[in-house]
Amino acid sequence: DRPHVQYTSRGEREVLAFGLDGTAYLTNWGPTDAGVYALTSTGAQKVADLEYSQLGIANLPTFGPDGTGYVATTGTQSEGGFATTVTTFSPPA
């Protein structure tokens, strides 16, 4: 019920997820400005910060019935093992 686009190009994943209102979102997990961005008619707007140093796998955002956005990231812990963090965000104002 919420389409997404995902493809792999030269080892890098590029993804879009669509919120309840049709707004497209992407997850940037690069070393600068890691976060979730809404793609609006006025440009990209950051809606959630993600800590790059903790990122291992950054997933597509998903959305609850009330429009709240969620993104899960999984990274390694210094003592070994993995930890998953869920960050919530609201649609842009």
Side-chain angles (χ1 to χ4, degrees), residues 6-81:
Q6 179 172 335
Y7 66 93
T8 303
S9 173
R10 294 189 180 172
E12 294 190 19
R13 290 187 332 174
E14 298 179 21
V15 295
L16 291 178
F18 296 89
L20 299 177
D21 65 355
T23 300
Y25 293 83
L26 62 86
T27 304
N28 173 35
W29 55 90
T32 58
D33 297 322
V36 177
Y37 291 81
L39 304 180
T40 68
S41 61
T42 59
Q45 180 179 346
K46 193 174 198 177
V47 294
D49 288 314
L50 298 175
E51 181 60 45
Y52 176 72
S53 65
Q54 296 174 346
L55 294 179
I57 299 171
N59 295 304
L60 284 171
T62 59
F63 301 88
D66 65 352
T68 300
Y70 302 87
V71 65
T73 57
T74 302
T76 57
Q77 296 179 319
S78 59
E79 63 275 356

